[in-house]
Amino acid sequence: MSDTLALKPDLSRYGVWTGGSPTPAQAAEIERLGYGAIWVGGSPAAELAFVEPLLEATSTLQVATGIVNVWSAAAQPVAESYHRIEAAYPGRFLLGIGVGHPEANTEYRSPYAALTDYLDALDEAGVPTSRRVLAALGPKVLELSAERSAGAHPYLTTPEHTATARELIGPSVFLAPEHKVVLSTDAAAARETGREAVGFYLRLSNYVNNWRRLGFSDRDVRAPGSDRLIDAVVAHGTPEAVAARLGEHLEAGADQVTIQVLGGWKKLLPTLTELAGPLGLTPQD
């Protein structure tokens, strides 16, 4: 993309990843704390009806999908939703797109072919490359993210993956990895919480293969996951220790780190509040 540098999204250094949509009140507090974006996961429906209430409750916060699944949300209605949101809240919505997992889709085919077909349809519907990103782990889809979108949103990765991805896609492409956190100095308890979140992905070949590329052994990626693997993908400890771990992604080349708080919705705002200072954020009065 020759114009990527000029069109690179600016979502600030830290965002928040949630499995499903937060409430408008939670979004307002996340904005007040100084986070730049909310990424809503859980393969939302093509209508994206949750987006406008979050944007209405905030003034500068951006909302992104993390991600819309190409198998469950057709490109045309997603494009219509994008244009609806963009017309009401210009420049505050980012469309994250991904192909999910072969184990979860009976009609799963080449993820590369599925993504290119989907991107072709978005092109035809006028969704700009500057306001869409791809879920990308391996080299081929990372390269596609640089060629056909504003950049990449890797999930369940490490700062080492971020460094490799940045080298592959170049300096002008947006890169926003997700990282899970547990604020606890009880390492055993934090790892137990981490395993509850990571266990599902140990059965999915795309994540397991990516961890192997990063140097994790068969033993590391065998359920329930080794301490080494869990510690790599789930930051835990004091707020300062967690913030330092998240900062490693920025040092490795990330534009934004998207923080997923583990432990349920009740943990979300308290954890983000404790992290704000160590992350260098400035809450609004």
Side-chain angles (χ1 to χ4, degrees):
M1 293 171 58
S2 60
D3 61 349
T4 301
L5 184 59
L7 299 177
K8 189 175 183 179
D10 181 7
L11 276 67
S12 84
R13 294 179 304 156
Y14 293 103
V16 178
W17 196 101
T18 60
S21 178
T23 66
Q26 288 171 323
E29 180 62 10
I30 288 169
E31 178 183 71
R32 190 195 71 78
L33 289 169
Y35 296 92
I38 293 174
W39 295 73
V40 176
S43 298
E47 291 72 23
L48 302 178
F50 68 89
V51 176
E52 283 101 336
L54 301 182
L55 294 176
E56 183 179 6
T58 56
S59 57
T60 61
L61 188 79
Q62 298 199 41
V63 174
T65 51
I67 46 76
V68 166
N69 190 315
V70 303
W71 306 109
S72 58
Q76 184 59 41
V78 166
E80 293 170 359
S81 296
Y82 169 83
H83 289 301
R84 184 193 75 235
I85 297 163
E86 177 64 17
Y89 300 95
R92 293 183 60 198
F93 175 64
L94 187 66
L95 179 63
I97 307 154
V99 293
H101 324 294
E103 293 85 352
N105 296 280
T106 58
E107 297 181 0
Y108 197 92
R109 58 190 176 89
S110 164
Y112 191 89
L115 278 174
T116 55
D117 289 348
Y118 202 91
L119 292 169
D120 288 345
L122 293 180
D123 287 344
E124 292 177 7
V127 177
T129 57
S130 60
R131 299 307 298 176
R132 67 195 195 200
V133 296
L134 300 185
L137 293 175
K140 195 171 183 180
V141 180
L142 281 168
E143 290 174 349
L144 182 66
S145 75
E147 295 166 0
R148 300 288 306 274
S149 78
H153 175 48
Y155 187 82
L156 257 180
T157 63
T158 65
E160 291 76 16
H161 181 273
T162 296
T164 300
R166 174 55 71 199
E167 183 177 358
L168 181 67
I169 64 180
S172 63
V173 177
F174 182 70
L175 182 59
E178 174 268 355
H179 205 105
K180 295 171 173 51
V181 306
V182 178
L183 281 193
S184 174
T185 56
D186 184 336
R191 287 171 182 148
E192 182 178 354
T193 300
R195 284 190 171 92
E196 291 175 359
V198 175
F200 170 75
Y201 300 93
L202 292 169
R203 304 193 299 270
L204 304 178
S205 58
N206 50 345
Y207 288 97
V208 170
N209 291 338
N210 187 60
W211 290 325
R212 286 185 174 127
R213 283 193 296 267
L214 290 169
F216 291 97
S217 68
D218 289 344
R219 178 183 175 278
D220 288 323
V221 300
R222 186 181 306 124
S226 70
D227 286 355
R228 177 179 175 235
L229 176 66
I230 299 303
D231 290 349
V233 298
V234 180
H236 56 85
T238 64
E240 291 74 19
V242 169
R245 177 61 171 169
L246 297 173
E248 291 179 19
H249 282 282
L250 299 178
E251 294 167 5
D255 296 293
Q256 182 181 72
V257 185
T258 69
I259 303 165
Q260 182 176 176
V261 176
L262 300 184
W265 288 105
K266 290 183 179 180
K267 295 284 188 181
L268 178 66
L269 292 180
T271 298
L272 295 175
T273 299
E274 287 194 63
L275 284 175
L279 290 174
L281 304 183
T282 304
Q284 303 167 11
D285 294 328

